[in-house]
Amino acid sequence: MKKKTFILAALLLFSLLLGGCEFFSEKYEPKPVDPPFFTVSDESTGGVVYLLGTMHVAENGVSYPEEIYRAIDECTIVAVEVDLIALDKNTAELNEAMKLLECKSGTTADILGNDYEKIKKFFTEKGIYIAAYNRYIPALWSAQLSNKIASDCGYYSENGTDRAVIKYAMENGKEIYEFESVYEQYKMNSEESEALQAFALSDAVNTPYDEQLSAMRELYEAWSTNDLAALEAMLEGDEIPEELSDDFDDYYAAMYTDRQRKMAERVSEWLSEGKKVFVAVGAMHLVAEPDILDFLE
């Protein structure tokens, strides 16, 4: 039986669904973290690629090891999934991508069926129900819920690693490379089966909220202490229905395997060209098998 990774997957989305964010204020006391960080080199060309596993949300005052900033200083290119800071200023691109998340026919209620009223009530009680979302697929609702869970834990997208890295890279004149466009990311999620989306959202709503908060805190703790074993364990969970097994395989391939292969291919090109590049992508791309490092090996 396949496992559930839906909350983790939603974390890849919700920071993109929020626009107009700035990095955290310096008034907060520094809170050091030690995220996954790897160095890959090609002795024959002199190429070096630094791989940083990011978290798309973080506490106020989060601070990173100096070795990360030194690595960025060494590089001419900084590669990220999507340039979120540039996206903040490009509402037209974001609005166009949002159209991909609209229901192909009918409304969210048509997809969720009998579970809709319970989910709507839950969202209303949490203060995150927005009537306009009724024209969007359940994946967007899941992203909204993930954002709520994160903020209730004290983690915010404006403090995410991606934004910190991009901001520092821009201030130091680095070239920003995007592995994907926001359109590509939204298209990937729009193609997830409606049945799997509905199951994931209903399952989340039926899970005690305290358990969801605990899961988010465990994820953040594992990431912030470079606990790869714990991160890998996060990809294990309750079993999903057998009838959704094929849908899950397709989802996993699109969310992880295919993207990680594409990222690894680009990293290999940089290495063969003798370049020095800093790569910052979601931490799960470094642990979800076959991860980027697996492809590079």
Side-chain angles (χ1 to χ4, degrees), residues 217-255:
R217 293 189 183 103
E218 289 173 8
L219 172 63
Y220 189 85
E221 176 68 15
W223 165 79
S224 65
T225 59
N226 193 16
D227 189 340
L228 297 180
L231 285 174
E232 290 174 359
M234 295 286 175
L235 292 170
E236 298 295 324
D238 299 331
E239 295 179 345
I240 65 170
E242 189 65 42
E243 62 269 20
L244 293 177
S245 182
D246 289 343
D247 289 346
F248 182 88
D249 288 342
D250 293 340
Y251 156 82
Y252 190 93
M255 180 63 71

Side-chain angles (χ1 to χ4, degrees), residues 86-111:
L87 185 62
D88 287 342
K89 303 173 184 177
N90 193 344
T91 55
E93 181 182 2
L94 184 58
N95 290 337
E96 188 65 26
M98 282 288 290
K99 294 178 182 178
L100 293 168
L101 301 183
E102 294 178 356
C103 298
K104 295 180 175 61
S105 62
T107 65
T108 314
D110 297 318
I111 299 174

Side-chain angles (χ1 to χ4, degrees), residues 8 11 31-37 52-59 62-65 68 155 159-162 164-165 215-232 234 281-287:
L8 299 178
L11 283 171
K31 297 177 181 177
V33 296
D34 181 26
F37 189 49
L52 173 65
T54 70
M55 186 82 169
H56 300 310
V57 294
E59 296 178 283
V62 63
S63 65
Y64 297 93
I68 289 176
Y155 311 141
N159 300 334
T161 317
D162 316 73
V165 167
M216 179 68 75
R217 293 189 183 103
E218 289 173 8
L219 172 63
Y220 189 85
E221 176 68 15
W223 165 79
S224 65
T225 59
N226 193 16
D227 189 340
L228 297 180
L231 285 174
E232 290 174 359
M234 295 286 175
V281 294
M284 284 301 166
H285 293 303
L286 300 178
V287 296

Side-chain angles (χ1 to χ4, degrees), residues 7-212:
I7 291 180
L8 299 178
L11 283 171
L12 300 173
L13 273 182
F14 67 75
S15 62
L16 299 183
L17 297 173
L18 303 173
C21 296
E22 296 293 337
F23 193 54
F24 67 83
S25 169
E26 294 180 358
K27 69 180 180 180
Y28 298 106
E29 289 295 322
K31 297 177 181 177
V33 296
D34 181 26
F37 189 49
F38 300 90
T39 301
V40 183
S41 60
D42 185 332
E43 294 182 359
S44 64
T45 66
V48 178
V49 172
Y50 297 100
L51 294 170
L52 173 65
T54 70
M55 186 82 169
H56 300 310
V57 294
E59 296 178 283
N60 289 326
V62 63
S63 65
Y64 297 93
E66 281 301 315
E67 65 175 329
I68 289 176
Y69 295 105
R70 288 197 297 269
I72 296 176
D73 291 339
E74 286 183 28
C75 299
T76 56
I77 300 171
V78 172
V80 294
E81 291 177 42
V82 174
D83 185 343
L84 298 178
I85 293 179
L87 185 62
D88 287 342
K89 303 173 184 177
N90 193 344
T91 55
E93 181 182 2
L94 184 58
N95 290 337
E96 188 65 26
M98 282 288 290
K99 294 178 182 178
L100 293 168
L101 301 183
E102 294 178 356
C103 298
K104 295 180 175 61
S105 62
T107 65
T108 314
D110 297 318
I111 299 174
L112 296 177
N114 295 333
D115 292 333
Y116 174 74
E117 289 301 330
K118 181 177 182 178
I119 291 171
K120 178 182 176 181
K121 181 175 182 291
F122 176 87
F123 272 61
T124 301
E125 291 172 348
K126 295 300 179 187
I128 55 175
Y129 174 72
I130 300 176
Y133 280 5
N134 283 302
R135 70 174 189 268
Y136 291 101
I137 58 179
L140 184 139
W141 290 59
S142 292
Q144 182 77 344
L145 176 55
S146 288
N147 185 45
K148 171 64 174 173
I149 294 169
S151 63
D152 283 351
C153 289
Y155 311 141
Y156 307 101
S157 61
E158 58 263 38
N159 300 334
T161 317
D162 316 73
R163 291 181 181 275
V165 167
I166 295 168
K167 182 175 183 289
Y168 185 83
M170 291 174 59
E171 291 173 347
N172 289 275
K174 307 300 181 180
E175 175 188 342
I176 306 296
Y177 176 89
E178 295 180 290
F179 283 110
E180 301 160 330
S181 67
V182 65
Y183 189 90
E184 288 174 317
Q185 287 206 346
Y186 281 30
K187 184 174 185 295
M188 171 188 64
N189 285 275
S190 70
E191 293 174 347
E192 180 186 348
S193 81
E194 291 183 350
L196 192 60
Q197 291 182 50
F199 169 77
L201 180 57
S202 296
D203 183 77
V205 168
N206 288 323
T207 300
Y209 197 64
D210 286 346
E211 289 185 16
Q212 299 191 59

